[in-house]
Amino acid sequence: FHVFRDIGDSDIIALLIIVDVSLHFEEVDDSPEGEFFELISLGIAEMYSKKLAREAKAGVMANAREGKAHSGMPPIGYAKKDKRYVLVEEEAKAVKIMFEMAADGYGYTSIANYLNSNGYRRANGKLYSNHLHDILRNREYTGEYIFNKGAYRARNEPYNSHKERPSSEIIRIPHGMPQIVSYDLFNKVQSMLDARKIQSDGLRSPKRTALLSGLC
């Protein structure tokens, strides 16, 4: 494999064609030559696949730097149009109410009940639930476009939405998408959520091993 260390893309493609032709027109047997061709073919195919993945990711990152909508569901209050984020007026009003009520000290359940009882619905017609933490923590509602924030996750590793990549890898564009809440309102809610978290952590009992731990 040291022979192929410095070959270029065109040479790789030519070699791949040669190996592919050899595999199709010569039956691969258990001989050393057959095993060699099969090994080279698998290695080049994997390398080419990784190269395509790298180029695809580069294209996605280039779109993100231009503030274009990325794949996946947009945040509540937004929709995608012509590769850009646009407001969904009814949802955007609901999001603003969430922040205003949270800033006034209302809890998640009270906020959800208020929205549902006053006729607010998701764009898909569903009621609002009391799972509002991620919405109230989402800085994109200030109009800041954010991409590549979630930390890399290995295949067998559980997903953790609170883990982030290094700041140097995150793309942030101020005023990159329509603004729903002001910076002052957003920051006030963050301060209240932080204080609430500190208080709840202080009230939580320390972990301890019970008498029958691991036995029942």
Side-chain angles (χ1 to χ4, degrees), residues 6-15 47-48 51 54-55:
D6 299 319
I7 62 178
D9 291 345
S10 59
D11 298 319
I12 292 174
I13 295 173
L15 181 59
M47 180 171 58
Y48 191 65
K51 180 187 175 184
R54 184 177 68 238
E55 292 175 349

